[in-house]
Amino acid sequence: MKKISVIVPCYNVEREIDRCVQSLVAQSLSISNMELIFVDDASEDSTAQKLSVWEARYPDSIIVIRCTENGKQGTARNIGMQYATGEYIGFVDSDDYVESAMYREMCRIADDERVDMVTCLFVREEEDGTIAIDAEKRADAGKSIWIRTEEERKKYMKNGSGGGVWSSIYRREFIIKKQLWFPEGVRYEDNYWGAFLAQALSGYYIINKPFYHYVIHNNSTIMQTNAVHHLDRLVVELMKVEEYERRGLLEKYHDEIEFNFLKMYFINTIRILFVRFREIPYDIIYIMQQNVKELFPDYRQNPYLKELPQLQWELLKMVEIPLNKEKIDILADGYRKGLRGWQNQQKGWNS
């Protein structure tokens, strides 16, 4: 058995894929202990050919799976998990890269602490390698954190562990037992994974080191402007509510589920619509208002709302405001100006 299987969905990344693969084969864990699974999601450039070269170089450690139709990252990750045989499973985005010590250190801690998940810090960097947002040290890092009580479960559901699916490793036996999977055919699949990971985890460990490099591309999923796939996040949040109901969890964790829905479905999506769309899809905002009121009619009584930062609270107020296109444009312009002011302030502090 390989120590770890690392699953990498790939789609049209001919410029970045070599850097990603090189960072994986150069791991201090040793390539012989790794199973690298690259799922080419019907790329239309030379990604598949480049992967074939790497597969030929490391036939005992690299597997390339070629899809005939593009199923998006959720599908690619699910396919990769079906092939994985390692003791642990990790995920890397194909336009990112990792530090050489990442998987040796993460696997060592997972072995020693016997936790379900080990995660690390990450840095956001520009395409030219400059750091856009540095990693923030965590006060809760460097120790195992166990989820044994309902209150501890609720706390984790509300706060999470701060990492991404790509900056963590998971015990494969745990993934199989808890039947964790990604929704297929939609973007923002990580939001679904994280929600039901929170229901399954019994223990995790955060490493206070930035092993993962999250590279910001203007054409990446989260950065694209006027892209309809940003609306997938709404679909995913509604899928989550439906699944919570199916599992009988909505009543048990009502406040936590409601709070996260308000943030993910409404607040964060409004921010994306204001920043990533030149022409705001007004009708979508009306539907969002309606869905919040129908699914969570008493949301204003949620005990966690007092924890919202002021700007997020102001965005949430839009649920109750009678809106027309003119009002939405005014609110969007005000938000953009406030965001630019905050960004300029951050640059001043960091210079």
Side-chain angles (χ1 to χ4, degrees):
M1 179 189 293
K2 299 284 188 176
K3 192 66 179 176
I4 186 169
S5 300
V6 181
I7 298 166
V8 187
C10 305
Y11 179 69
N12 289 353
V13 284
E14 60 183 4
R15 291 176 53 196
E16 300 88 10
I17 191 60
D18 286 334
R19 178 182 61 186
C20 176
V21 182
Q22 181 60 46
S23 75
L24 292 173
V25 300
Q27 288 291 299
S28 56
L29 177 63
S30 171
I31 185 64
S32 63
N33 290 319
M34 301 181 69
E35 180 179 62
L36 306 179
I37 303 172
F38 295 90
V39 183
D40 179 54
D41 199 15
S43 293
E44 299 170 335
D45 59 4
S46 65
T47 298
Q49 291 90 327
K50 290 196 170 190
L51 289 174
S52 293
V53 173
W54 285 105
E55 186 179 29
R57 192 179 303 176
Y58 298 97
D60 295 330
S61 296
I62 290 182
I63 301 169
V64 179
I65 303 162
R66 295 173 179 82
C67 302
T68 56
E69 295 183 4
N70 180 263
K72 300 184 174 61
Q73 280 194 317
T75 304
R77 286 175 175 158
N78 288 340
I79 291 171
M81 285 194 286
Q82 293 175 29
Y83 282 81
T85 63
E87 184 178 355
Y88 300 104
I89 287 179
F91 302 95
V92 171
D93 284 354
S94 54
D95 52 357
D96 297 336
Y97 66 101
V98 299
E99 294 288 328
S100 61
M102 178 170 171
Y103 289 116
R104 183 183 65 180
E105 184 72 2
M106 296 180 95
C107 289
R108 180 189 67 78
I109 290 173
D111 285 345
D112 292 346
E113 302 294 328
R114 304 304 299 170
V115 290
D116 302 321
M117 177 183 78
V118 176
T119 190
C120 66
L121 307 185
F122 63 96
V123 297
R124 295 178 184 267
E125 63 182 57
E126 305 289 354
E127 292 181 75
D128 62 4
T130 59
I131 301 299
I133 304 175
D134 213 341
E136 293 186 9
K137 297 294 184 179
R138 297 281 300 256
D140 55 350
K143 59 184 178 183
S144 295
I145 300 173
W146 299 99
I147 303 172
R148 296 188 175 97
T149 67
E150 290 302 325
E151 287 307 310
E152 288 170 344
R153 178 78 57 200
K154 290 177 180 180
K155 181 180 179 181
Y156 184 85
M157 288 177 66
K158 184 170 70 73
N159 299 329
S161 58
V165 65
W166 25 258
S167 60
S168 306
I169 68 168
Y170 311 88
R171 198 174 298 278
R172 184 169 67 91
E173 180 182 59
F174 159 74
I175 289 177
I176 295 171
K177 181 180 178 180
K178 299 298 183 178
Q179 297 183 334
L180 295 175
W181 57 278
F182 294 90
E184 301 188 356
V186 292
R187 308 285 188 177
Y188 296 95
E189 72 290 337
D190 292 8
N191 295 347
Y192 187 98
W193 170 273
F196 294 100
L197 174 69
Q199 292 296 319
L201 274 180
S202 61
Y204 63 98
Y205 189 106
I206 302 172
I207 302 175
N208 231 356
K209 296 177 183 177
F211 285 137
Y212 194 93
H213 293 257
Y214 184 97
V215 183
I216 301 169
H217 300 277
N218 290 331
N219 64 343
S220 67
T221 297
I222 65 168
M223 295 298 290
Q224 288 178 15
T225 58
N226 298 321
V228 176
H229 68 239
H230 288 307
L231 304 182
D232 283 355
R233 60 182 298 114
L234 301 175
V235 176
V236 169
E237 294 308 311
L238 294 174
M239 288 175 64
K240 285 163 57 177
V241 172
E242 183 178 344
E243 183 64 13
Y244 282 131
E245 287 186 308
R246 190 187 71 80
R247 297 188 185 195
L249 297 171
L250 195 52
E251 182 176 352
K252 187 176 185 179
Y253 298 108
H254 175 273
D255 290 346
E256 293 73 32
I257 292 170
E258 179 181 68
F259 183 62
N260 280 309
F261 182 83
L262 295 173
K263 289 197 303 179
M264 303 294 286
Y265 181 86
F266 196 85
I267 295 172
N268 289 0
T269 304
I270 288 290
R271 291 162 63 181
I272 288 174
L273 296 182
F274 283 178
V275 173
R276 301 277 176 237
F277 284 78
R278 295 189 185 91
E279 184 173 337
I280 297 170
Y282 306 102
D283 291 343
I284 296 298
I285 295 179
Y286 304 146
I287 293 171
M288 291 165 60
Q289 287 179 308
Q290 181 180 346
N291 282 340
V292 170
K293 293 175 183 178
E294 288 182 356
L295 290 171
F296 298 102
D298 300 320
Y299 74 90
R300 283 176 290 182
Q301 299 175 25
N302 189 289
Y304 300 125
L305 289 185
K306 61 181 180 292
E307 301 178 16
L308 284 177
Q310 185 61 36
L311 186 54
Q312 291 187 29
W313 177 247
E314 293 299 323
L315 291 177
L316 184 60
K317 288 180 180 178
M318 288 178 58
V319 174
E320 302 295 334
I321 299 174
L323 295 173
N324 54 33
K325 294 182 179 181
E326 183 180 3
K327 284 185 179 179
I328 292 174
D329 286 339
I330 291 171
L331 290 168
D333 186 58
Y335 178 80
R336 295 181 193 119
K337 288 179 180 177
L339 182 62
R340 284 195 295 270
W342 178 84
Q343 290 172 335
N344 290 334
Q345 186 180 53
Q346 292 292 106
K347 289 178 182 178
W349 287 342
N350 295 329
S351 62

